[in-house]
Amino acid sequence: MNARSAAASAWAKHERAIVGCAKCPRLRKHCLEIARVKRKSYAGDTYWGKPIVGFGDTRARLVLVGLAPAAHGANRTGRVFTGDRSGDWLYRALHKAGFANQPTSTHARDGLALTDAFVTATVKCAPPDNKPTPAEIARCLPYLDWEIARLDRARVYLALGKIGWDAAWDVLKRAGLASGARPAFGHNQAVELASGKYLLGSYHPSQQNTFTGRLTEPMFDAVFEKARTLF
Ligand code: SF4
């Protein structure tokens, strides 16, 4: 087996472990219940209802770390940040910045492909009210540890929201890329890590932020422009 197929096989094994994971009974129950009841507007859809794996280019220089799948977004479509408003914002921005081949992400077989960007989440199961408990985050972080270790071409880790920032910092510290006290989260703020890599923060493109104007489209675009300057 050559290096590329060995890497693909390791990723496939990692993804199977995530999809079959049942370490958080509260979250698994919630995802399945959402998938059973469904939102009225998606009544005809078959919900995924399982943990969500990362998506994108495993040789990426830009690695995005979000919070968790949305109940009727990724938990429905089976692909991270897909089928909800946050994903609309994210993939539109990634497309504008040249990381995505299309600006929309509606379902898992819609042809979306990322180049030089990989999207993952701190917690792989949709939590009630988008709020995983500290214990659930801790249980899920070993998956992110594995991903950060494998995504060794990364130059910029883009944390979407404070939970993603905190998780990314802790994981980067365990990976030997960060040291000292965790720096404060700030929108479009970058912290230099070891080996010339950076942790960059952005407000999460949740409706809570985009509807209120806390995060505007130009503000979000500026984050991706900055990421490119840090490569
Ligand atoms: S949140 Fe993570 S650790 Fe918990 S059940 Fe889902 S995949 Fe497993």
Side-chain angles (χ1 to χ4, degrees):
M1 194 185 282
N2 64 29
R4 189 159 283 201
S5 44
S9 165
W11 275 99
K13 188 175 171 198
H14 171 71
E15 291 178 355
R16 280 196 302 276
I18 292 173
V19 170
C21 184
K23 287 193 279 180
C24 305
R26 183 184 83 110
L27 299 189
R28 296 305 318 123
K29 190 174 165 201
H30 178 67
C31 292
L32 289 170
E33 183 62 8
I34 293 285
R36 186 185 69 77
V37 175
K38 303 181 183 180
R39 179 178 282 168
K40 207 171 167 186
S41 49
Y42 301 128
D45 288 20
T46 300
Y47 276 52
W48 171 252
K50 295 188 275 277
I52 299 294
V53 302
F55 172 67
D57 182 353
T58 54
R59 292 171 58 77
R61 288 179 297 173
L62 178 64
V63 173
L64 295 94
V65 181
L67 166 57
H72 300 280
N75 187 55
R76 174 174 60 89
T77 61
R79 190 173 68 197
V80 66
F81 274 104
T82 294
D84 61 22
R85 293 281 174 87
S86 298
D88 292 346
W89 271 66
L90 178 63
Y91 290 111
R92 183 176 60 211
L94 282 168
H95 178 65
K96 270 182 171 170
F99 293 104
N101 66 335
Q102 61 188 46
T104 57
S105 178
T106 52
H107 60 87
R109 288 171 300 285
D110 60 7
L112 176 66
L114 302 184
T115 301
D116 214 7
F118 186 87
V119 184
T120 189
T122 302
V123 168
K124 315 296 189 193
C125 292
D129 302 320
N130 289 322
K131 286 189 184 134
T133 66
E136 288 160 350
I137 294 173
R139 272 198 292 275
C140 210
L141 278 185
Y143 294 126
L144 188 58
D145 281 321
W146 189 95
E147 289 162 6
I148 295 297
R150 285 278 167 167
L151 295 161
D152 56 0
R153 285 171 57 95
R155 305 295 304 162
V156 177
Y157 305 94
L158 172 55
L160 301 171
K162 187 174 181 312
I163 291 180
W165 174 271
D166 290 353
W169 178 263
D170 293 351
V171 167
L172 291 166
K173 202 167 171 179
R174 283 198 289 275
L177 292 167
S179 58
R182 189 194 291 148
F185 166 79
H187 179 76
N188 215 7
Q189 298 297 313
V191 174
E192 189 167 1
L193 308 167
S195 312
K197 299 177 189 251
Y198 288 87
L199 174 61
L200 176 61
S202 170
Y203 290 136
H204 192 286
S206 63
Q207 285 181 276
Q208 202 182 345
N209 289 331
T210 57
F211 273 20
T212 57
R214 189 177 199 211
L215 179 65
T216 64
E217 212 173 313
M219 281 169 72
F220 203 36
D221 290 344
V223 171
F224 294 91
E225 283 161 23
K226 181 159 188 166
R228 282 215 180 268
T229 69
L230 298 174
F231 281 171

